[in-house]
Amino acid sequence: MMPWWKQTWIVARHELSDAVRSRRAAVMMVLYVAGAVTSINGFINVLQKLELQIAQTLGVEALSSAGAVTDTLWKSRPFRNMLMSLVGDRSVAMDLLSIPPIALIYGWVAFTFVPMLVMLVTPARVAEEIGSGAVRFVVPRCTRSAWCAGKVAGQSALVILALILSVAGAWTVARLRLPGMDGWAVAQAMMMLAGKTWIYAFAFVGLAVGIAQFHRSPNQATALGFIAWMVLGIVGIMCHFYAGPGIRQIWLVIELIIPQGHRMDLWRMDGAYLLSGCAFLASLGMCYAAVGYAYFSRRDV
């Protein structure tokens, strides 16, 4: 039998090619691009409607190009102080202020909605292969662990492709509607945030594959994946508000085992925080998938 890594590569390659050809993957791509384009376009519309008011409030000159006053606001000391109080961490606030506003909007949308799309698409892709019996023709040629790892790798590659397309769409709209923006700086920032979004989404890909291995029904797997995404979001909010000294330290432990607990590390520019967040999220994704594999390795397919 061929080496494990080669089995994983073949499964991942077929998973990506099959996903790209499927209608569900096409819908996923459209949703990624449409979400990014709509958000950026909506943000620019808001800028056009509010810039005159902002200019009058701050006493700065309103320019004809949308985003000009926003750039001035972004660099003003009062706004920086306000952002620091909202974030609660000066270093994080300064990192956010180093990102072009239009790219920051793209990043916020991607971090918020990409995990949801992953949990709506990935579980069904894996569960339908188990439910249809197609996996029976695969596992005699490779180990079940390689099949599971290949599914995670293939779905992760699909997310990369979708994010690249979303960056292209969002940047194009911003470039057409904001002629005065620094196109290269915004493109770099968007690609950086897309990369960080992919790392964050990897944990959810692992979770989705883990959930799918418990089910033969794509609909059940999708429903449970969506519920898991919502539950993790609620738990993440509870960890943020309830963590503290004494018995409340249990929320700090819970925060370590959910993706939301490491999201803020990815927004930092400090390499130590970034590497820590990446390591935790990669480990969580593999652990989530491994839990499903522990069941799938013993089930009758």
Side-chain angles (χ1 to χ4, degrees), residues 50-74:
L50 296 181
E51 282 215 321
L52 181 58
Q53 182 65 37
I54 293 174
Q56 292 173 348
T57 302
L58 296 179
V60 296
E61 182 182 358
L63 302 178
S64 58
S65 174
V69 174
T70 301
D71 289 337
T72 303
L73 172 66
W74 204 245

Side-chain angles (χ1 to χ4, degrees), residues 99-199:
I99 301 173
I102 199 72
L104 195 61
I105 292 298
Y106 167 81
W108 177 82
V109 171
F111 266 84
T112 302
F113 293 105
V114 167
M116 179 186 70
L117 293 175
V118 167
M119 299 308 291
L120 287 174
V121 174
T122 301
R125 279 284 309 163
V126 178
E128 68 185 4
E129 191 164 328
I130 298 174
S132 67
V135 70
R136 297 174 187 172
F137 301 98
V138 178
V139 291
R141 297 178 177 85
C142 73
T143 62
R144 295 194 184 194
S145 61
W147 180 83
C148 176
K151 290 297 180 182
V152 173
Q155 287 296 317
S156 298
L158 181 63
V159 174
I160 291 177
L161 179 59
L163 284 169
I164 291 174
L165 292 176
S166 71
V167 167
W171 185 88
T172 300
V173 170
R175 187 61 176 172
L176 291 174
R177 301 203 57 192
L178 299 174
M181 82 173 190
D182 186 341
W184 176 242
V186 171
Q188 283 183 307
M190 283 185 173
M191 287 302 298
M192 175 193 69
L193 290 170
K196 292 183 175 184
T197 301
W198 177 78
I199 295 169

Side-chain angles (χ1 to χ4, degrees), residues 201-248:
F202 178 82
F204 290 92
V205 171
L207 177 62
V209 173
I211 289 173
Q213 291 176 91
F214 285 93
H215 301 279
R216 293 182 182 274
S217 167
N219 292 333
Q220 288 182 0
T222 300
L224 287 175
F226 185 70
I227 291 171
W229 171 74
M230 290 193 298
V231 169
L232 286 177
I234 294 171
V235 172
I237 294 173
M238 293 175 68
C239 289
H240 177 74
F241 283 102
Y242 294 130
I247 190 64
R248 293 167 62 187

